[in-house]
Amino acid sequence: MKHYTLYDPIASGGMGTVHYARGSSSLGLSRVVAAKRLRGDLARDPRCLAMFRDELRLATRVRHPNVVGTLDMVEQDGELLLIMDLVQGESLQELIARSINAGQRVPPAIAVSIVCGILQGLEAAHDATSENGEPLSIVHRDVSPENILVGHDGIARLLDFGIARGAGRKYVTHIGEIKGKPSYLAPEQILDSQNVDRRADIYGASIVLWEALTGQRLFEGDTPHATLSRVLTGQVPRPSSIVGSLPEGLDDAVMRGLSRNADDRYATALEMARALRRVCGTLLPFEVGEWVQKTATESLAQQAATITRLESLPPEPEPFPRIITPVSPVSDPALLGLRDAEEAPESTAMGVAMSLRPPAVSARRDPFGLGRVSLALRATGLAGACFLAGLLLVRAATSQTASAPQPVAVAPSTAQASNAAPPTMAAAQPEAVSEPVAKPAAPRAPVSSVAASSSPKKKKPQAIASAKAAPANAYKSRSIIDDGF
């Protein structure tokens, strides 16, 4: 179990914020990650919490290099945190803006390579299955430049499944409710939001490619209503009419993806990626990475410095107790190996750590019969001691010497123990013979607790105290992703 310390925000959106965070474990290991948290007033809204949990459940089922990895969801300090891989890179939105500010456009080969990577990530989401192998039918519904992160390694990654549609979601979009950014919605998302499929994501990816090639917004109005109207009825110009010469066939591939009729689009994201590659080709990741590093040099240097400083901080102790559960369902304290009945564990809401002593030997837990061999050897030793004690008593009773009997200490040897007959369970073992009449020994423990009484005591593990969260360091924030709720 890890504890996450949050630092400065990376990006913020309408419903939450993504922070730099560092996870620390009790083993002294740490890792810098990204932690997504709901805004304070929304963290108590059951509807928002349901959406947040749905995002985790769907995102963890999508495993692909072109999708930002979701690591965990933890409940900490009274709120939920979605833990994700921290990617050093920039959003496609920021890269397009930086290129325009430099008087340039995104090279067509770069734009096509980035969008092809996103299409492969979308294909993995569309084909994702549940734990039982059932299709989840995930539709991202928010494919936009803000939700595409291009790393310095040149790999484009899709993120933010906050409004993704999928089977088994606790929160379901109601009739008349529109999810997503108006400028990147497919027509069917506006007209019938409850009946959308993977082709809506293909439409969004086609808008992203159109804007990356032209450096302009395709659908933009003064109000959300005006934007939605343009999506439904506005004219869509061919990219080459704005930027001039493009690789032959690239216009046709983009315009097919932008068809308002879903049946006229590509059937799958992978089909569109293959079509783009045929007409334009794709670059290797390191070639895209070189362009990213050249375009966002200062931002990447700042990110690297921040990550280095966070990694150099001393690890924090784990603030939660480790939960230890007994391996046997037996409830008898003696069979569990506890010394006394008072030491039996009590269940609590937090699953407080329990201290267990070595379990007793039993047929259920001792498949090789080693416990029976140990009991047989002890019984043999006891029989030998009783036999010698009897001989000494007879000799003392028949002795005619005048002198008083001398104390004789008797310790059973291994040879005598091995030749003696096995005794009954009621036999008692004398410690030493110092009088003519043997003193009775204390009764032995029951067979079920022999191993427990002979085993060395172990110290109980102490619950590790909660560590206070480290104060936020004054690191400069940057905006690379959007929550997209």
Side-chain angles (χ1 to χ4, degrees):
M1 185 180 296
K2 285 189 174 183
H3 175 77
Y4 296 91
T5 305
L6 304 186
Y7 297 92
D8 269 13
I10 302 173
S12 60
M15 293 190 64
T17 307
V18 179
H19 292 258
Y20 285 106
R22 196 178 69 152
S24 302
S25 70
S26 59
L27 299 177
L29 303 177
S30 64
R31 179 182 180 183
V32 179
V33 295
K36 182 176 182 179
R37 64 191 300 198
L38 285 177
R39 211 173 61 207
D41 57 328
L42 300 178
R44 296 180 293 274
D45 187 345
R47 174 176 171 270
C48 295
L49 288 174
M51 292 176 61
F52 207 42
R53 294 181 187 276
D54 282 338
E55 178 179 359
L56 170 70
R57 190 180 68 85
L58 295 180
T60 53
R61 300 304 303 170
V62 183
R63 306 181 183 95
H64 194 272
N66 294 111
V67 176
V68 174
T70 300
L71 304 177
D72 196 8
M73 175 180 275
V74 297
E75 187 170 358
Q76 179 176 301
D77 300 329
E79 64 177 328
L80 291 175
L81 299 177
L82 180 62
I83 309 301
M84 303 176 292
D85 280 326
L86 180 62
V87 179
Q88 291 182 253
E90 277 289 3
S91 68
L92 182 57
Q93 179 189 38
E94 184 68 19
L95 292 172
I96 294 174
R98 287 176 181 269
S99 297
I100 294 174
N101 292 337
Q104 302 173 357
R105 289 192 179 96
V106 179
I110 295 290
V112 169
S113 298
I114 291 174
V115 172
C116 281
I118 295 304
L119 288 169
Q120 294 177 66
L122 285 171
E123 185 77 9
H126 297 159
D127 293 339
T129 59
S130 67
E131 295 83 350
N132 300 325
E134 300 175 354
L136 288 174
S137 302
I138 296 175
V139 183
H140 190 278
R141 299 197 297 182
D142 197 15
V143 182
S144 60
E146 295 94 327
N147 288 333
I148 296 174
L149 190 61
V150 188
H152 73 288
D153 55 4
I155 298 176
R157 297 172 175 86
L158 182 67
L159 58 110
D160 199 348
F161 285 79
I163 65 170
R165 182 183 183 91
R169 281 199 69 134
K170 302 299 182 183
Y171 178 79
V172 180
T173 303
H174 301 290
I175 297 177
E177 185 178 21
I178 298 176
K179 288 291 186 180
K181 299 178 180 66
S183 298
Y184 300 94
L185 294 176
E188 61 268 25
Q189 287 181 261
I190 302 172
L191 300 175
D192 188 5
S193 59
Q194 290 189 319
N195 294 315
V196 296
D197 56 23
R198 62 177 66 194
R199 293 173 295 181
D201 288 341
I202 295 174
Y203 188 87
S206 300
I207 297 177
V208 170
L209 180 55
W210 190 97
E211 294 183 350
L213 291 171
T214 63
Q216 299 181 9
R217 294 290 293 272
L218 178 56
F219 300 116
E220 186 174 19
D222 297 333
T223 64
H225 180 77
T227 301
L228 295 178
S229 178
R230 292 190 179 186
V231 172
L232 293 175
T233 61
Q235 183 69 26
V236 180
R238 299 171 73 87
S240 60
S241 66
I242 299 175
V243 300
S245 177
L246 287 176
E248 184 179 358
L250 184 56
D251 264 355
D252 294 335
V254 175
M255 297 306 292
R256 180 180 175 184
L258 289 173
S259 300
R260 287 195 168 96
N261 186 352
D263 293 335
D264 294 334
R265 299 176 205 150
Y266 297 98
T268 66
L270 206 56
E271 181 184 357
M272 182 176 179
R274 290 193 179 101
L276 291 174
R277 185 172 183 179
R278 282 196 301 268
V279 300
C280 188
T282 55
L283 301 178
L284 295 175
F286 80 88
E287 295 176 294
V288 179
E290 290 174 349
W291 176 81
V292 172
Q293 294 174 34
K294 180 180 178 180
T295 306
T297 304
E298 295 180 0
S299 177
L300 293 176
Q302 182 182 359
Q303 294 176 44
T306 299
I307 294 173
T308 300
R309 294 181 65 182
L310 293 180
E311 289 178 338
S312 65
L313 295 176
E316 298 182 2
E318 183 181 5
F320 302 108
R322 302 186 67 182
I323 300 175
I324 305 175
T325 55
V327 296
S328 172
V330 181
S331 59
D332 185 0
L335 295 181
L336 285 175
L338 300 174
R339 181 174 181 177
D340 300 312
E342 291 78 12
E343 293 184 13
E346 297 180 0
S347 60
T348 63
M350 291 295 294
V352 178
M354 296 181 293
S355 175
L356 298 181
R357 300 187 183 277
V361 177
S362 64
R364 183 184 320 182
R365 302 284 302 281
D366 189 17
F368 298 101
L370 299 178
R372 296 188 182 92
V373 175
S374 176
L375 292 176
L377 292 176
R378 295 187 184 193
T380 304
L382 179 61
C386 294
F387 179 76
L388 291 178
L391 290 179
L392 291 175
L393 290 175
V394 172
R395 181 177 179 181
T398 56
S399 177
Q400 300 298 326
T401 60
S403 61
Q406 299 297 324
V408 179
V410 178
S413 62
T414 304
Q416 293 169 333
S418 61
N419 295 328
T424 63
M425 292 303 301
Q429 178 181 2
E431 298 178 355
V433 178
S434 58
E435 299 292 341
V437 180
K439 295 181 181 180
R444 292 183 59 84
V447 175
S448 62
S449 61
V450 169
S453 62
S454 61
S455 301
K457 294 185 179 180
K458 294 184 179 179
K459 295 183 179 180
K460 298 182 179 180
Q462 301 295 328
I464 302 175
S466 299
K468 296 182 179 179
N473 294 339
Y475 298 132
K476 183 177 179 182
S477 64
R478 64 189 183 91
S479 177
I480 62 172
I481 57 178
D482 184 84
D483 282 342
F485 286 113

